[in-house]
């Protein structure tokens, strides 16, 4: 929802304008205000207030410039509504809060808009998922003769406070974890440009599957892949950056964590006969983080490694291999591991307690090859050593 930056006199409302198209990169999770009685009742229930203001009136009541209010609303992903009377006290309060953070010097204006955009994009996806996958199933009439309308309102009324409390809980938990990672950075520069392990996991032959499977079967496969991936990444200390249907992007603070996640993903998918083969590529290096996403050469390299990885295998770059060796998670070479094993066996025969390093992973160098846009790369094949 946006407001227009014109007036026809002091305190006067501007004339109604045509609705401008929402930029294609914004998340448009609203439409023109509806007059459907049930939709209005549900909106009042969820927002906790009646429609009262036009965008112009909301901006004026909040003490926010028309231009800034417009940019805030667009950043949050709300469609333009001209001067329809569709906003509530909650909308005014949201404008006041964002503007107040800027006035107090806690956020710059561009940062406040970025906060609005990141929050809008994230919650839009969450709301769509909940409606599509959760409420849609629950609002099927439980008894013959009952309409969806008769079921939806009381159900939302019961769920709303519980879902709201849970959302705030999860957000606080995630905020605490993210803040902890940032304050542990070595210096201010590392808070933005950090050294991370970044991995892509990609289902092989997914395009062919889309032609062969029914839509419902394909949806179930994607959901199973995303759910399994998200659970494994979280359980082993990584962070799921995003899912792209047949591909997931994850990150970890250290190479050992990323290696464990990658191999667990391969193991989980190979045990599921309904899943196609999986390939994983990981790179280690400096990464720029913005709005929960990651960017940079390291990310591009991980993507390229994924595209050339064998089926049900993990390819890593040289920096990742060096990091695994440095931390003692993998030997510098199999020859070194063999020498250490021989030395440990001799110590055992001499009645001494062997001091054999416990390597978790093995690395096999592959042929060097040119990678588009990144020059010549020497990938390494990652494998598990022993049991975990």
């Amino acid at each position: 929802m946006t407001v227009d930056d014109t007036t026809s006199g002091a305190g006067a409302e501007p004339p109604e304008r045509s609705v401008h198209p929402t930029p294609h990169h914004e998340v448009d999770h609203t439409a023109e205000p509806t007059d459907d009685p049930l939709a209005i009742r549900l909106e009042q229930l969820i927002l906790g207030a009646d429609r009262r203001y036009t965008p112009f009136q909301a901006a004026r009541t909040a003490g926010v410039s028309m231009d800034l209010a417009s940019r805030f609303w667009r950043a949050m992903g709300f469609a333009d509504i001209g001067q329809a009377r569709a906003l509530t006290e909650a909308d005014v309060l949201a404008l006041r809060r964002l503007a107040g953070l800027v006035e107090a010097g806690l956020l710059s204006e561009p940062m406040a808009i970025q906060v609005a955009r990141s929050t809008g994009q994230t919650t839009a996806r969450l709301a769509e998922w909940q409606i599509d996958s959760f409420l849609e199933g629950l609002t099927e009439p439980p008894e013959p003769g009952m309409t969806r309308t008769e079921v939806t309102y009381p159900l939302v009324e019961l769920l709303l406070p519980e879902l709201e409390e849970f959302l705030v809980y999860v957000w606080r938990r995630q905020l605490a974890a993210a803040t902890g990672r940032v304050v542990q950075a070595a210096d201010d520069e590392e808070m933005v440009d950090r050294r991370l392990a970044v991995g892509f996991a990609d289902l092989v032959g997914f395009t062919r599957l889309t032609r062969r499977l029914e839509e419902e079967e394909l949806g179930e496969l994607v959901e199973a892949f995303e759910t399994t991936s998200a659970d494994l990444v979280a359980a082993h200390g990584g962070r799921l950056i995003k899912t792209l249907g047949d591909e997931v992007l994850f990150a970890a603070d250290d190479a050992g964590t990323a290696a464990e996640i990658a191999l667990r993903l391969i193991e989980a998918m190979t045990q599921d006969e309904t899943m196609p083969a999986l390939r994983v590529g990981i790179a280690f290096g400096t990464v720029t983080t913005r709005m929960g996403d990651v960017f940079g050469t390291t990310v591009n390299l991980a993507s390229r490694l994924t595209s050339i990885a064998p089926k049900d295998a993990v390819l890593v770059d040289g920096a990742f291999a060096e990091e695994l060796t440095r931390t003692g998670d993998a030997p510098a070479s199999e020859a070194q591991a063999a020498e250490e094993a021989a030395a440990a066996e001799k110590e055992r025969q001499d009645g001494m307690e062997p001091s054999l390093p416990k390597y978790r992973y093995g690395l096999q160098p592959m042929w060097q090859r040119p990678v588009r846009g990144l020059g010549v790369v020497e990938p390494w094949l990652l494998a598990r050593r022993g049991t975990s």
Side-chain angles (χ1 to χ4, degrees), residues 90-221:
D91 298 311
V92 172
L93 181 58
L95 290 176
R96 281 179 182 161
R97 282 175 170 162
L98 280 173
L101 292 172
V102 175
E103 292 171 3
L106 295 173
L107 294 177
S108 65
E109 190 172 300
M111 181 59 70
I113 291 173
Q114 190 177 64
V115 167
R117 178 171 289 109
S118 62
T119 305
Q121 290 178 352
T122 302
T123 52
R125 183 180 181 189
L126 174 63
E128 290 289 347
W129 182 90
Q130 288 176 332
I131 293 299
D132 291 344
S133 303
F134 187 48
L135 291 179
E136 183 177 325
L138 288 177
T139 53
E140 289 295 336
E143 297 179 9
M146 291 189 69
T147 65
R148 183 180 294 268
T149 300
E150 292 172 322
V151 177
T152 302
Y153 189 93
L155 180 63
V156 172
E157 190 173 28
L158 289 171
L159 285 174
L160 184 63
E162 301 301 325
L163 291 177
E164 182 178 17
E165 289 291 334
F166 186 69
L167 174 62
V168 173
Y169 156 74
V170 175
W171 172 73
R172 284 182 177 272
R173 267 290 180 186
Q174 294 286 6
L175 189 64
T179 304
R181 289 193 295 269
V182 169
V183 299
Q184 292 178 45
D187 50 49
D188 290 344
E189 184 176 341
E190 191 180 326
M191 288 185 181
V192 178
D193 297 318
R194 305 165 59 193
R195 286 178 61 79
L196 296 174
V198 177
F200 283 90
D202 177 59
L203 291 174
V204 179
F206 185 76
T207 302
R208 290 193 300 273
L209 280 175
T210 61
R211 303 191 192 103
R212 182 165 56 86
L213 296 179
E214 298 290 336
E215 288 186 7
E216 185 174 349
E217 293 176 310
L218 190 63
E220 291 175 352
L221 185 145

Side-chain angles (χ1 to χ4, degrees), residues 255-313:
T257 297
E260 186 63 26
I261 290 170
L263 292 172
R264 294 273 183 175
L265 285 170
I266 294 291
E267 291 159 1
M269 297 304 160
T270 54
Q271 291 172 8
D272 188 342
E273 295 180 355
T274 66
M275 284 290 173
L278 186 72
R279 54 191 174 194
V280 181
I282 315 177
F284 185 85
T286 301
V287 174
T288 298
T289 60
R290 289 289 186 277
M291 293 176 63
D293 208 342
V294 290
F295 307 91
T297 302
T298 302
V299 181
N300 295 338
L301 179 54
S303 178
R304 299 288 189 272
L305 289 171
T306 306
S307 66
I308 62 175
K311 293 181 180 180
D312 295 327

Side-chain angles (χ1 to χ4, degrees), residues 125 225-227 229-230 240-249:
R125 183 180 181 189
F225 171 58
E226 292 184 349
T227 299
S229 299
L240 187 68
I241 304 300
K242 58 187 174 184
T243 60
L244 303 170
D246 62 331
E247 187 174 61
V248 298
L249 169 61

